[in-house]
Amino acid sequence: MATDKTTSFVGQLCFGSIEEDLILPYPKMKPAEQETFKSIRSSLEQLLKPHEKDFREWDAKGDFPATFIDELKQFGLFSLIIPEAFGGMGLSATAYSRTLQEVASYDGSVAVTIGAHSSIGMRGLVLFGTDEQKQRFLPKLATGEMIAAFCLTEPGAGSDAASIKTTAVKDGDHWVLNGNKLWITNGGIAQFYTVFAKTGPQGERGNVTAFIVTRDMPGVSTGPHEDKMGLRASNTTTVHFDNVKVPASHVLGEVGKGFKVAMKILNSGRTGLGGGSVGAMKRMIALATKQAKERVQFGKPIAEFGLVKQKLGNMMVDCYVTESAVNLVNHLIDSGHEEYAVEAAITKVYGSEAMWRTIDEALQIAGGNGYMREFPYERALRDCRINRIFEGTNDILRLFIALTAMNEVGSSLKELSQSLKGIFDNPIKGFGVISEYARRRASLATDLIKRDKAGFSKLHPALQKQQVTFEELTRDLATAVDRVLRKHGKNIIGKQFATRRLADIMIQMFVLACTMSRVSTAVQEKGAAGATKELEILEVYDQRVRRIVRANIGQIDENEDELVKSLADFAVDQERYIWDNVD
Amino acid sequence: MPLKILVTAKRVEDSESKIKVDAAGTGIVKEGLKYKINPFDEIGVEEALRLVAKHGGEVVVVSVGTKDVHEQLRHALAMGANKAVWVHHDGPIDQLGIAGCLQKVVEKEKPDLCILGKQAIDDDQGQVGQYLAEWLGWAQATFASKEESLESEAEKAKTPAIQLAADGKSITVIREVDGGLLTVSSPLPAVATTELRLNQPRYASLPGIMKAKSKPIEELTPAGLGVDVGVKLTVTKLAPPPARKAGIKVPDVATLVDKLKNEAKAL
């Protein structure tokens, strides 16, 4: 298959093809945008650094003062992704994500306030809005006169977004909205809400519609600011709609296409979270290395002890590989590539987990101090926990990643069986499908037939060893996907243990591919000597991915899944742990 | 009375960067360093913007160096300066060369006032403002500061510290001297250089950064200006400060007093 705008790198990996043109050469921010970004970075430092002590206080209090939100508005932080024509900065996905990274390195609550506004709150307007809607709202959203919030989640509809109960009923040239939304970031400070409501019978995806609702419409109200574990200063509330009359001109996208609107918003917003993760990790590395150098135990700085080195080294690897994947997916988005949902979800899953590990280890290096509120570690840890939950839990996203990526292989299998049936009606077409798929399978099995794109051709020779591994792993992945699909057929939907294993393989392999791209390009530019540390990072990560992939593949056929499930069922049945050493 | 003010924006290493002396021992390792506008110059830009906000006029920012100085020029433009002049020079240059270029730019732009940082935080030479005033034949009010603190209401209101006379023909500058403040007055045109406590520079807002993109940067060269930038002052050695010796712990006050008296001879 040719590389076009609808080719998914991970989807093709499942076929055993490496679409290297999608990831090589490793992208760089355009010089003009770098200049703009550097200006933003230095201004952000002036804006946020003086507030470092305040952030701790606002976390304890659980709110930002209104004056600080005003300061953010005047600074222009709500204008990042709005096109220049509407008074915004018009940042690319790459520059936007890099800016969020910078903000997140100062404070998570600020990052999520900005991110919820730009990444999801008003992204629907940018993606699907009519000219009239854009003219009307974008300039106000750019100045922060209107802050935006994304209203999808409901008490009974979290991961299962299609089960929302908020309704919109057509009444002449209006829709009448009724319902309650939960955990809405910026809920209490927003004036612009992207709201999803049922416009037809329950339970079907086709009956959801997206609406623009503004705070001034009668019947819109918000609940109190939630008392959260982390991101405490960021505003989170319920939002209520009580017979809210919404003009028909406020429909976002098409009536009945709201589910698609929601998914598209979430897909394109996910790299912002990846950027935020990288920012938090960089800050932790700076804090932890300083701590390791200054803290003396047993007569020497703890940086000299092996177990501290192990943590610091792992943090470097995690941060570098996450940054590589986030940058590459942003580049795909910026270059107009259409198929990046799986890859964006990977950056969210990998980034949020790498960030959790990194902050947790930084806290460990700080020891008792890490547990004290006086130091920034515990707040960072609390702040980052939600990243594995919101904007699609990592569990749901794992299933999404594997099932979406395998979808095409599944269709090929289906096509194969269909074409067998009709082979005599149209032998040429049937033969084409069979031969293509048969060839892929045969080549996977024997490695004797030359496959298309079975390997890299553009990597720097310094990466020869990793290239060989990656090509082997790709073949292993494709074989595993084929085997799992043949074994479970469409029942794969219910096989979450198996799906998760495949997802974990895909996640690691995509992040590894991005890292290889970056290191290869670094070696090309700086020479192997100039990129020594980057080659070391790759060496470490490559070994690790190989072990993870092999372990997961090994468990496809031999595992204790059924026993684990049976124990879970038992626990659920008992609703408690039944053993004790007291009779 | 509208004022035309010329300010400078030297590109310097960010003070938070880790500075290492290079192998030759006469420069620093530039790889991986972050750069910013010289903080003293930034204070100059801020003061100029405040003066212009109060009295009207325009602010022109100048920098001498490679194309990289565009970052610092754009920074000043994003803060609110009206236009920029880039004296394009890729090779080495010393304070005499810089002051020579600035003199020619001043003669071309004809500002009423030049505000420069009193020194740059990279090599701390502190010569350019003085050379410039001397060669222009203008008065110089160096080390401009103010009486109010950086937490005062006047500072929050962004009031300029440099006072312009009612007739617009002279300025009054408060200077910090050892143990007190010295107020001087100078006719315009004049050169002022800034002290750290003159003001707290504003940050460039994002709309400001966007506006700066379309503001003009005029390119000039030392040759075009007729300035000889041949280096006269060369760095012969650059050494980091000696590493500090580890301190010692004393068991009690008596030992401390003893050591201060007999070893450190501080008492």
Side-chain angles (χ1 to χ4, degrees), chain A residues 301-431:
Chain A
I302 60 170
E304 290 176 25
F305 293 108
L307 292 184
V308 173
K309 286 183 203 281
Q310 187 182 36
K311 295 184 205 326
L312 292 172
N314 285 338
M315 289 166 143
M316 294 279 278
V317 174
D318 254 341
C319 189
Y320 185 91
V321 304
T322 307
E323 191 180 37
S324 308
V326 170
N327 273 343
L328 255 168
V329 176
N330 280 322
H331 173 70
L332 287 180
I333 298 174
D334 287 334
S335 54
H337 200 76
E338 287 162 22
E339 202 50 67
Y340 57 81
V342 168
E343 290 75 14
I346 288 176
T347 64
K348 192 272 191 185
V349 172
Y350 194 93
S352 58
E353 292 172 7
M355 169 167 67
W356 173 258
R357 286 191 290 273
T358 300
I359 299 175
D360 186 49
E361 291 290 49
L363 189 151
Q364 188 74 14
I365 291 172
N369 281 347
Y371 202 66
M372 299 298 140
R373 293 221 159 176
E374 190 189 335
F375 295 88
Y377 306 97
E378 64 85 31
R379 174 157 63 90
L381 196 75
R382 283 188 284 112
D383 284 350
C384 92
R385 186 60 184 83
I386 192 64
N387 280 52
R388 287 159 57 199
I389 300 173
F390 67 9
E391 292 198 42
T393 66
N394 286 11
D395 308 277
I396 287 286
L397 286 180
R398 279 195 159 82
L399 302 180
F400 169 79
I401 288 163
L403 293 175
T404 312
M406 290 190 297
N407 193 22
E408 221 173 309
V409 180
S411 325
S412 292
L413 285 171
K414 204 161 61 192
E415 221 173 321
L416 186 66
S417 59
Q418 275 168 0
S419 59
L420 275 174
K421 258 184 257 162
I423 196 158
F424 296 109
D425 304 333
N426 190 346
I428 296 166
K429 182 169 171 255
F431 183 73

Side-chain angles (χ1 to χ4, degrees), chain A residues 35-36 38-40 42-43 46-47 49 71 75-76 80 84 89, chain B residues 16 18 34 42 71 74-75 202-207 209-210 213:
Chain A
E35 202 179 289
T36 306
K38 284 180 187 167
S39 306
I40 296 176
S42 84
S43 284
Q46 287 172 291
L47 171 78
K49 215 170 178 190
E71 213 178 329
F75 185 85
L80 299 175
E84 286 182 50
M89 296 290 288
Chain B
E16 291 198 358
K18 268 233 149 81
K34 277 203 321 196
E42 196 176 26
E71 264 173 52
R74 291 271 180 229
H75 179 84
R202 72 194 62 194
Y203 45 73
S205 71
L206 301 190
I209 291 170
M210 291 307 282
K213 283 186 178 182

Side-chain angles (χ1 to χ4, degrees), chain A residues 198-312:
Chain A
K198 282 272 161 197
T199 45
Q202 283 295 332
E204 282 170 49
R205 290 181 174 202
N207 294 323
V208 176
T209 302
F211 295 91
I212 297 167
V213 178
T214 52
R215 184 62 183 257
D216 53 9
M217 292 179 179
V220 178
S221 62
T222 58
H225 184 159
E226 304 284 355
D227 191 6
K228 305 191 295 287
M229 169 183 177
L231 299 176
R232 290 176 49 78
S234 124
N235 183 284
T236 309
T237 67
T238 51
V239 181
H240 310 284
F241 305 99
D242 181 16
N243 282 318
V244 179
K245 271 179 82 177
V246 181
S249 64
H250 279 221
V251 169
L252 203 49
E254 288 172 50
V255 173
K257 295 277 171 68
F259 198 78
K260 212 182 110 199
V261 172
M263 290 308 117
K264 181 97 191 171
I265 292 172
L266 289 171
N267 285 338
S268 59
R270 280 194 184 109
T271 54
L273 289 180
S277 307
V278 174
M281 284 192 266
K282 286 185 178 174
R283 173 162 183 247
M284 283 299 132
I285 292 172
L287 286 168
T289 45
K290 200 158 170 269
Q291 166 76 12
K293 236 181 184 165
E294 285 171 3
R295 173 73 173 168
V296 175
Q297 287 289 277
F298 306 103
K300 50 185 182 180
I302 60 170
E304 290 176 25
F305 293 108
L307 292 184
V308 173
K309 286 183 203 281
Q310 187 182 36
K311 295 184 205 326
L312 292 172

